[in-house]
Amino acid sequence: MPLLDVRNLTTYYMTRRGPVRAVEDVSFAVEKAQAMGLAGESGCGKTTIALSLLRILPPEGKIVRGQILFEGKDIVKMSEKELREHIRWKGIALIFQGAMNALNPVYKIKEQIVEAIKIHEPNVTKREAEERAKKLFELVGLDPSRVDNYPHEFSGGMKQRACIAMALACNPKLLIADEPGTALDVVVQAQILKLLRELKEKLSISLIVISHDLSLITETCDTIAIMYAGKIVEFADIVEMFKKPLHPYAQALIESFPSISSKKYKFVSIPGAPPNLLNPPSGCRFHERCKYAMDICKKKEPEFKEVSKGHFVACHLVGG
Amino acid sequence: MSETLLKVENLKKWFPLKLGFFRSLVSKKLLYVRAVDGISFDIKNEEIFGLAGESGSGKTTTGRCILRLIEPTDGRIIFEGRDITKLTPDEMKSFRRRMQIIFQDPYESLNPRMTVEDIVAEPLRILRIANSEDEIIAKVKEILTKVGLTPPEEFMFRYPHELSGGQRQRVAIARAFVINPKFVVADEPVSMLDVSIRAEILKLMLSLTKEYRSSFLYITHDLALAKHLCNRIAIMYLGKIMEMGTTEQVIDNPLHPYTKALIAAVPIPDPTARRSEVVIKGEIPSPVNPPSGCRFHTRCPSVIGEICRKEEPELIEIEKGHFVACHIYSKK
């Protein structure tokens, strides 16, 4: 049984102009001690998935249907109390995009970590929590004596490490990192990616890395899901995905990434812009920008089917 | 391609540091942020020159100093044979017709209260390039077509908020190229855009530079892109150029330990590629009080001794056109 099994998750934002279909019929699974990458352009629903997993959507966000099975239990059906006691922070921890800039500037880092521990594990004493904060600092490669610092005394990379430490405070089984590399310099970004890889090995936790940057996902993940306009268009093992992408969008996205090690870069781009999700295109949501679009693509939505073991794709071109 | 268009000599920009009232009483000497601390390079006609480095290395400041959007503290900027650092604002105007800038963030660099037409026509009006209003409109239409905002009539009367990020950046490019500039500074022009449209914008800039035979100063932190775009690259660190040469020399055969580390840190979009370990620790130090000697010595994995801590290495030519500032090479 996979640690996390998401089936047909559908999340809409109810706006006055109608529902924004941010995530629709998304299915994927994350095994224990495995890392999955969630890639796609801005506005494709990556973060909405993360918020749905923890049920921390803004008021207008609604999980319309689907199941989120975490260790076999459905998160969608849980009460707030159950979520707080078993899932948030203890089961699944989320490092928000730009979390390092959201640390409270008037509290010491230690106090912020202790607060998180105390809320989710009321039985832990303050001293124990402080000890744990120090251990966490060591784990993420920070000097434990610096738990008494304020956020402004930390550099960007150190703040990101502190955020990772905080996310690990209650021993989660799954860690979600939303754009862990943005706003960091390449050198620091490489250090953070290395830390995530090491933590996965050391603590054997599962990881979901959300990023628009495919190269960042290849550095950390075992499997990858590529999203477009609220749908997962392809899901596969990372090596397989790069060797043999099947969906035209996945192909174009992979090709559009310049690599420092490659000889030539063709400046490939996808014409047009992602659709408005208030009124997504009929049939396959990518058909307007797809160079292989056929008649059926406009009419019928392609099924998300397994073409070879562990390789799923939603395209009329594949598998007849 | 051989003739030099722009020559930067020993350019410096020190920003005075504002101290609090009490600290200014105690501290006798003025403190400065040495954003750019004595750099020299030249850009040839029709060349794409890349300026790369981490944030805080002084790339953007350099770009803005060259256009005199901020006044350099010291040094000379020679554009088409004339030192433009000493020109009065009036004299500068004739040079501004030949130099332009494209900013990083198309959401902030376009005035939200102006229509696309006004935005693109503004340089023509300010620099009095066109003779009549009709000519201005004709030029605006022509450039909008060239940047792919077609038909131009449909876009001219829109406001920036009605455009997508890619379209906005196209407007910014149109604004830069409408006056047929010789020299364009592009400060991270695609870093705010989605990957799938980045290539299109880059292609557009490449084709326009070719068509208008302009030179390009491309400021970026993305070495992978710089490799495929630039003819020559300079790597900056804490206000200094560490290494400079043709793209092949710098990226494929880096000499400076910093360049090597920077290249090793770039993630590769290929899961089968061999990952190199991160060799440098820590982050870029404060430019208020840069390390003595070689600025990189505090993070350098291959310090060779006292000399790195005491003496500042000079930028020396190792092979034709390939410059490095490192004591490892200055010995030989």
Side-chain angles (χ1 to χ4, degrees):
Chain A
M1 185 177 68
L3 178 73
L4 179 76
D5 192 357
V6 176
R7 293 181 191 164
N8 299 80
L9 176 68
T10 302
T11 303
Y12 291 170
Y13 290 103
M14 303 303 179
T15 66
R16 270 183 295 174
R17 288 193 287 166
V20 174
R21 295 152 74 176
V23 171
E24 196 145 41
D25 278 323
V26 160
S27 305
F28 61 87
V30 183
E31 302 287 336
K32 202 169 178 304
Q34 199 193 41
M36 184 188 94
L38 201 53
E41 293 173 81
S42 46
C44 72
K46 308 184 293 280
T47 301
T48 302
I49 289 187
L51 299 180
S52 303
L53 293 184
L54 284 164
R55 295 252 316 265
I56 47 172
L57 288 157
E60 60 275 16
K62 291 271 173 330
I63 298 177
V64 182
R65 50 173 193 273
Q67 291 177 303
I68 302 168
L69 300 173
F70 184 73
E71 296 182 307
K73 283 193 219 113
D74 192 356
I75 290 180
V76 179
K77 295 213 178 74
M78 283 184 192
S79 66
E80 276 296 310
K81 188 161 172 277
E82 278 176 287
L83 283 170
R84 198 165 49 240
E85 281 175 3
H86 302 296
I87 301 298
R88 293 181 191 147
W89 230 298
K90 282 189 196 157
I92 306 174
L94 170 63
I95 306 166
F96 285 93
Q97 176 170 11
M100 55 188 237
N101 299 320
L103 289 167
N104 192 330
V106 296
Y107 289 103
K108 291 173 180 169
I109 306 261
K110 178 177 78 182
E111 287 162 355
Q112 304 188 38
I113 297 181
V114 167
E115 185 192 6
I117 297 173
K118 292 280 283 175
I119 287 176
H120 294 89
E121 295 177 34
N123 303 329
V124 176
T125 65
K126 192 166 174 232
R127 178 164 302 159
E128 279 168 358
E130 284 180 10
E131 275 310 306
R132 202 192 289 180
K134 281 190 185 159
K135 286 220 178 75
L136 287 166
F137 257 47
E138 242 181 291
L139 187 69
V140 296
L142 288 169
D143 183 351
S145 67
R146 297 200 61 174
V147 288
D148 284 317
N149 282 146
Y150 288 91
H152 76 265
E153 293 172 277
F154 276 20
S155 67
M158 288 163 77
K159 277 192 255 182
Q160 186 68 300
R161 280 174 199 266
C163 284
I164 295 174
M166 204 190 283
L168 295 172
C170 300
N171 299 315
K173 299 185 177 92
L174 171 67
L175 181 65
I176 306 174
D178 194 354
E179 299 280 6
T182 35
L184 294 174
D185 273 314
V186 264
V187 176
V188 182
Q189 179 182 302
Q191 293 164 357
I192 295 292
L193 297 183
K194 188 174 163 224
L195 173 67
L196 285 177
R197 282 199 299 270
E198 284 169 359
L199 287 174
K200 191 187 98 185
E201 294 295 315
K202 225 187 279 175
L203 310 174
S204 65
I205 54 173
S206 305
L207 213 58
I208 295 180
V209 178
I210 298 176
S211 181
H212 69 281
D213 189 340
L214 287 179
S215 55
L216 211 139
I217 286 174
T218 57
E219 299 261 324
T220 42
C221 298
D222 309 305
T223 56
I224 179 169
I226 294 186
M227 284 192 78
Y228 181 78
K231 295 253 179 193
I232 291 185
V233 294
E234 190 162 355
F235 178 92
D237 178 79
I238 189 106
V239 179
E240 171 127 346
M241 178 71 89
F242 275 81
K243 218 167 49 189
K244 210 174 71 184
L246 295 173
H247 197 284
Y249 178 68
Q251 288 167 356
L253 195 66
I254 288 170
E255 238 182 302
S256 68
F257 260 89
S259 165
I260 198 159
S261 59
S262 71
K263 281 266 172 291
K264 253 199 126 74
Y265 173 55
K266 288 184 296 218
F267 291 102
V268 175
S269 57
I270 308 168
N276 183 348
L277 293 181
L278 261 173
N279 188 14
S282 60
C284 170
R285 288 189 181 184
F286 186 56
H287 82 254
E288 289 168 344
R289 300 172 78 188
C290 183
K291 56 182 171 185
Y292 307 110
M294 307 173 288
D295 240 8
I296 184 172
C297 302
K298 288 180 203 132
K299 289 179 195 141
K300 197 172 160 244
E301 202 171 317
E303 212 185 311
F304 189 59
K305 53 186 176 270
E306 192 163 11
V307 284
S308 59
K309 196 176 172 348
H311 192 159
F312 294 82
V313 64
C315 180
H316 288 303
L317 283 171
V318 183
Chain B
M1 182 117 182
S2 55
E3 219 174 293
T4 305
L5 175 76
L6 175 90
K7 205 169 161 66
V8 173
E9 283 176 8
N10 199 28
L11 181 72
K12 276 185 191 164
K13 178 65 194 178
W14 292 13
F15 293 102
L17 198 65
K18 284 206 180 72
L19 293 177
F21 173 69
F22 289 106
R23 262 187 82 189
S24 68
L25 292 180
V26 180
S27 142
K28 291 254 160 48
K29 67 175 190 224
L30 279 170
L31 290 173
Y32 292 95
V33 175
R34 302 187 195 178
V36 179
D37 205 7
I39 65 169
S40 307
F41 59 91
D42 51 16
I43 297 176
K44 299 183 178 70
N45 273 323
E46 295 176 50
E47 182 179 49
I48 299 177
F49 187 85
L51 205 53
E54 292 175 89
S55 49
S57 60
K59 321 180 284 282
T60 298
T61 308
T62 307
R64 294 191 180 183
C65 274
I66 292 174
L67 298 184
R68 282 190 61 199
L69 295 178
I70 45 180
E71 292 300 322
T73 310
D74 194 15
R76 301 199 318 153
I77 298 158
I78 298 155
F79 186 78
E80 292 182 326
R82 239 181 114 186
D83 184 358
I84 60 167
T85 43
K86 308 236 158 50
L87 297 182
T88 62
D90 259 355
E91 290 172 306
M92 220 21 229
K93 255 195 172 173
S94 67
F95 278 91
R96 295 225 185 273
R97 294 182 184 195
R98 277 170 292 177
M99 36 177 67
Q100 277 294 317
I101 185 164
I102 299 165
F103 291 101
Q104 174 173 15
D105 189 347
Y107 290 85
E108 284 185 358
S109 69
L110 303 180
N111 188 335
R113 296 182 175 212
M114 284 164 82
T115 60
V116 169
E117 183 203 345
D118 288 334
I119 291 169
V120 179
E122 199 180 19
L124 294 171
R125 294 198 171 116
I126 290 176
L127 299 169
R128 305 224 172 87
I129 285 174
N131 295 320
S132 65
E133 197 59 19
D134 289 345
E135 200 186 328
I136 290 179
I137 302 292
K139 281 202 169 181
V140 169
K141 279 188 182 166
E142 186 197 336
I143 195 74
L144 285 179
T145 314
K146 273 187 188 154
V147 299
L149 294 173
T150 48
E153 291 80 11
E154 197 185 299
F155 288 95
M156 277 167 74
F157 305 106
R158 289 206 202 169
Y159 286 91
H161 74 265
E162 299 171 84
L163 305 174
S164 70
Q167 288 171 336
R168 281 174 206 229
Q169 202 57 304
R170 282 173 198 270
V171 172
I173 293 169
R175 174 176 62 184
F177 278 94
V178 73
I179 60 163
N180 191 359
K182 274 306 281 173
F183 176 62
V184 177
V185 174
D187 190 355
E188 305 259 19
V190 294
S191 65
M192 303 288 288
L193 303 178
D194 257 321
V195 198
S196 72
I197 49 177
R198 261 183 211 181
E200 244 174 290
I201 299 291
L202 289 172
K203 256 199 292 197
L204 173 68
M205 288 195 301
L206 279 180
S207 73
L208 284 173
T209 28
K210 272 218 184 80
E211 187 182 335
Y212 287 88
R213 304 170 69 95
S214 357
S215 304
F216 221 60
L217 177 67
Y218 186 79
I219 298 171
T220 183
H221 69 281
D222 188 342
L223 282 176
L225 258 187
K227 174 183 172 175
H228 299 287
L229 201 68
C230 303
N231 307 116
R232 285 195 302 145
I233 292 183
I235 306 281
M236 277 186 86
Y237 184 75
L238 273 184
K240 283 268 183 196
I241 289 180
M242 295 307 212
E243 185 161 357
M244 178 164 73
T246 64
T247 307
E248 293 78 42
Q249 285 169 340
V250 174
I251 304 288
D252 297 335
N253 180 26
L255 295 173
H256 199 286
Y258 178 62
T259 319
K260 285 182 190 166
L262 208 55
I263 290 171
V266 176
I268 301 169
D270 176 5
T272 52
R274 216 157 38 89
R275 292 193 182 99
S276 36
E277 275 301 298
V278 186
V279 280
I280 52 176
K281 291 205 171 70
E283 286 167 60
I284 198 162
S286 156
V288 177
N289 191 10
S292 62
C294 172
R295 293 175 183 220
F296 186 56
H297 86 253
T298 50
R299 297 166 79 192
C300 185
S302 25
V303 174
I304 53 170
E306 266 312 288
I307 187 166
C308 293
R309 277 179 278 276
K310 294 223 171 94
E311 250 177 74
E312 187 152 353
E314 263 174 68
L315 197 63
I316 51 166
E317 192 163 8
I318 299 288
E319 53 183 316
K320 197 175 172 336
H322 193 172
F323 296 83
V324 181
C326 178
H327 287 302
I328 299 175
Y329 303 98
S330 56
K331 282 264 171 86
K332 289 167 198 164

